[in-house]
Amino acid sequence: MTIDRRSFLLGASLLSLTTACGSSGSSSSSSSSSSNSLKIGASLPLTGPAADVADPGYKGYQVWQSQINTRGGLLGRKVEFVILDDGFDQNTVVSNYNRLITQDRVDLLIGTFSSFLNLPASTVADRNRMLYIEPSGGAADIFSRGHTRLFFSQPGTTDTAHRPFAAYVEGLKERPATAAYLYQDDPSTDVPVQNLQKTFEGLGIETVYGQKYPPDTKNFDAIANAIRQTNPALLVHGALEVDGVAVVQALQRVGFTPSILYQTRAPSSVNTYPQAIGATNTEAVFTAGSWHPASKYPGNAEFVADYRKQFKQEPSEDAANSYTAAQVLQAGVQAVGKLDQDAIAAWLHANTVDTIVGPLKWDKRGVPDGSLLLMQWQRGKLEVVAPASAATVTSVIAAKPSWAT
C-alpha cells in the first residue's frame, strides 16, 4: 500500500536512516509504562491513506498482547507496545523507528504495513542489528538487500501471489478468450498483475486492455467505460483498498460485468467490501489471501474468538497478519530464552513456526516457503477454493452474475 510506491522514495529515505527526526504523535497500548515491561516498538500509518489497513493491524497486535500477558508475558515480563503514528510517510517512519531504538529503547521491533514503509523501516532495523518481522510488505526489493534479521510473516510474497489464480485459470477446460489488466502504480499490485498477464498470454488469452493508474486516482468512470468497450471475458485488477471498491462501483455505473473478476487485496476486507459494493455484488469475485477465519491451523479459532470479544467485529486479514508476525516473534524469543537478536534470527532461519496462517519456514532472505490461498466470494462469505487441503467449499462459481441494481 503505497503513495509513490514505484520508487519507494528510496534515495530520500536512505539519507534519513540515521537521523532521529521529530516524530509524529505516539500512543501506547498500556496507560503506563512499567520499568520491567518488555517493550515492542512499531510505527504504523494510523492516519493517512493506509489507516484502514493499520487500524485492524494494530488490533491484531493488541489481541496477541492480551493473550501473552494473560499467560505471564514474554520471558516472564509483561509485554507493552510502543506505537508511533507515521501518517504513511517514509521520512517519518524512518525517524520513528530510530526514536523507538535510541530514545524509547524498545527491546524488540515489529513491522509496519505496506512495502512502501517496510523498505526503509527494515533498513533502520538492520543498521541497528535488530530483528524485524513484517506483517505485510512482500515486494521483492525488500528481500534483495542481504538482511539476515528480516522475516515476512505471510505464506507468500508479491512474486508468488499470482500463482493460485493462474493455476485455476490454467486448469479450466474452457479458458476465457480475452482479458483486461488494470492496476494501481504500486509494487504490491503491479508485480502480481504483470505475472498474471504474462502467464495468461502464454496460455493464448488475448490482452485487449491494459492500464496503470496513479495512487491518487479517484474517478474510474473513463477507465470502466474503456474496459466495457473492449468487452474482456476476464478482468484482472491490482487493487489495494479504496480503489478496489471504486473500480467496481464504476463498472456498475457503466453496466459492465466481466465473466471472471479477480482483484487483489480489496475483496479480503470482509467488514467493508460487501457494504461498499453491495453484498450480492460480491458473488464470484476472486482474490488471493494469506488467511481465513475458518482455518483449522492451531490457535486460529482462539484468535478469531478473542478478536470478536475484544473489538466486537470480525477480524480482517490485516489483523491476522499482524497477529501472525507477533506469533513468529514470540516463537523465536521463547526458543532462544533471551533477547539476543542474532540468536533469535538464527533460530527462525533454522526452524518452522506454527502460526494461524499455517507453518512458516524462511529462506536466507526471510522469504517464506509457501503460497497464498485462492478465495472467492460465495453467498455472502469469502471462501477458500484452493488448495483443496485448505478449501472451505467444494466448488467454484465459474461465471460472475451481472451486477445487481
Side-chain angles (χ1 to χ4, degrees):
M1 285 66 63
T2 68
I3 288 189
D4 179 36
R5 288 103 158 175
R6 270 307 317 163
S7 66
F8 298 100
L9 299 179
L10 182 58
S13 296
L14 295 181
L15 287 173
S16 305
L17 286 174
T18 59
T19 304
C21 307
S23 170
S24 60
S26 65
S27 62
S28 173
S29 55
S30 60
S31 58
S32 62
S33 177
S34 168
S35 60
N36 191 44
S37 63
L38 190 151
K39 295 195 291 186
I40 301 175
S43 174
L44 304 179
L46 297 174
T47 58
D52 54 349
V53 175
D55 176 67
Y58 185 19
K59 289 175 180 175
Y61 284 148
Q62 290 174 295
V63 170
W64 174 83
Q65 179 195 22
S66 298
Q67 291 177 348
I68 195 72
N69 283 343
T70 298
R71 295 163 186 162
L74 196 55
L75 300 182
R77 297 161 63 185
K78 292 290 185 179
V79 169
E80 173 189 349
F81 274 107
V82 182
I83 303 295
L84 305 180
D85 178 19
D86 52 58
F88 203 67
D89 178 80
Q90 281 193 320
N91 287 323
T92 305
V93 82
V94 166
S95 62
N96 279 356
Y97 274 101
N98 273 308
R99 168 182 160 173
L100 289 166
I101 296 166
T102 62
Q103 296 182 36
D104 297 308
R105 297 192 178 280
V106 298
D107 299 290
L108 296 163
L109 298 175
I110 203 158
T112 184
F113 289 85
S114 81
S115 298
F116 178 70
L117 295 178
N118 273 305
L119 179 72
S122 61
T123 304
V124 175
D126 186 72
R127 290 195 175 187
N128 286 276
R129 304 184 63 83
M130 293 191 72
L131 190 71
Y132 193 83
I133 300 170
E134 294 183 76
S136 75
D141 305 48
I142 295 177
F143 308 103
S144 63
R145 299 166 297 158
H147 293 184
T148 59
R149 304 171 197 85
L150 171 68
F151 298 87
F152 189 51
S153 62
Q154 294 185 34
T157 65
T158 55
D159 281 347
T160 60
H162 68 290
R163 291 178 182 174
F165 186 61
Y168 166 73
V169 173
E170 185 173 5
L172 292 174
K173 291 182 179 179
E174 294 186 12
R175 297 173 188 149
T178 57
Y181 303 90
L182 176 67
Y183 58 92
Q184 185 178 140
D185 186 5
D186 183 294
S188 67
T189 58
D190 58 9
V191 172
V193 172
Q194 289 166 4
N195 284 339
L196 284 171
Q197 182 173 358
K198 181 179 179 180
T199 300
F200 293 158
E201 287 177 347
L203 296 174
I205 300 174
E206 179 187 1
T207 297
V208 294
Y209 180 86
Q211 181 67 46
K212 175 173 67 176
Y213 57 88
D216 59 357
T217 303
K218 297 292 190 295
N219 190 310
F220 292 91
D221 287 354
I223 289 175
N225 193 55
I227 292 172
R228 181 184 63 82
Q229 291 177 1
T230 61
N231 194 32
L234 165 64
L235 173 58
V236 175
H237 180 204
L240 295 182
E241 297 284 341
V242 176
D243 57 322
V245 166
V247 165
V248 170
Q249 292 172 336
L251 291 172
Q252 292 171 348
R253 283 192 293 271
V254 302
F256 176 72
T257 308
S259 296
I260 304 175
L261 173 60
Y262 175 88
Q263 289 185 302
T264 64
R265 275 211 57 84
S268 64
S269 297
V270 295
N271 293 316
T272 57
Y273 189 74
Q275 295 177 5
I277 71 169
T280 58
N281 287 326
T282 63
E283 189 74 357
V285 175
F286 285 99
T287 192
S290 60
W291 168 85
H292 191 274
S295 165
K296 302 302 181 183
Y297 292 122
N300 189 50
E302 181 185 13
F303 161 69
V304 172
D306 286 354
Y307 190 99
R308 288 170 176 165
K309 181 179 180 180
Q310 191 164 344
F311 297 108
K312 313 304 181 189
Q313 62 181 193
E314 296 300 311
S316 69
E317 185 179 58
D318 295 305
N321 289 339
S322 57
Y323 183 89
T324 302
Q327 283 187 300
V328 173
L329 185 66
Q330 174 186 342
V333 170
Q334 289 179 332
V336 172
K338 58 183 178 180
L339 295 174
D340 183 327
Q341 310 279 331
D342 287 334
I344 297 169
W347 186 89
L348 290 174
H349 278 298
N351 291 274
T352 300
V353 176
D354 290 323
T355 75
I356 62 170
V357 300
L360 294 178
K361 183 176 178 59
W362 300 269
D363 65 16
K364 64 181 182 180
R365 301 169 297 163
V367 173
D369 180 20
S371 181
L372 298 178
L373 305 169
L374 180 61
M375 299 181 177
Q376 186 182 50
W377 278 92
Q378 297 187 7
R379 295 173 293 281
K381 293 183 179 180
L382 186 59
E383 305 283 6
V384 178
V385 296
S389 60
T392 58
V393 290
T394 57
S395 61
V396 176
I397 300 173
K400 176 149 187 43
S402 297
W403 306 117
T405 56

